[in-house]
């Protein structure tokens, strides 16, 4: 016999939501311009350009 698809236990507790002040933005690496090499500077420029493109796309969608 097959299992039924409906129902389920309604008494199952939901996990709590994470407060915004505990969420990280993913940036966890320290960066020093004094120790940056050419590859670091190129990566920084690419990241800034990508951020600008994303912001422009978000503005055009509003």
């Amino acid at each position: 016999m097959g299992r039924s698809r409906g129902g389920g236990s309604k008494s199952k507790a939901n996990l709590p939501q994470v407060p915004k002040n505990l969420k990280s933005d993913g940036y966890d690496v320290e960066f020093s311009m004094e120790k940056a090499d050419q590859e670091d500077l190129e990566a920084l420029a690419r990241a800034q350009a990508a951020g600008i493109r994303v912001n422009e796309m978000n503005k055009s969608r509003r």
Side-chain angles (χ1 to χ4, degrees):
M1 302 281 172
R3 295 181 184 218
S4 67
R5 294 185 184 202
S9 176
K10 300 286 183 183
S11 64
K12 190 175 188 181
N14 292 330
L15 293 175
Q17 298 296 313
V18 178
K20 286 187 177 183
N21 62 348
L22 295 179
K23 290 184 181 179
S24 69
D25 57 355
Y27 296 109
D28 59 352
V29 178
E30 288 189 29
F31 181 78
S32 173
M33 287 298 288
E34 293 85 25
K35 295 181 181 180
D37 61 0
Q38 186 61 31
E39 290 180 0
D40 291 333
L41 297 176
E42 289 173 6
L44 183 61
R46 284 194 306 271
Q48 290 173 343
I52 291 170
R53 286 194 304 269
V54 168
N55 287 337
E56 288 175 355
M57 284 177 37
N58 287 339
K59 287 180 184 177
S60 68
R61 289 183 181 177
R62 290 182 190 174

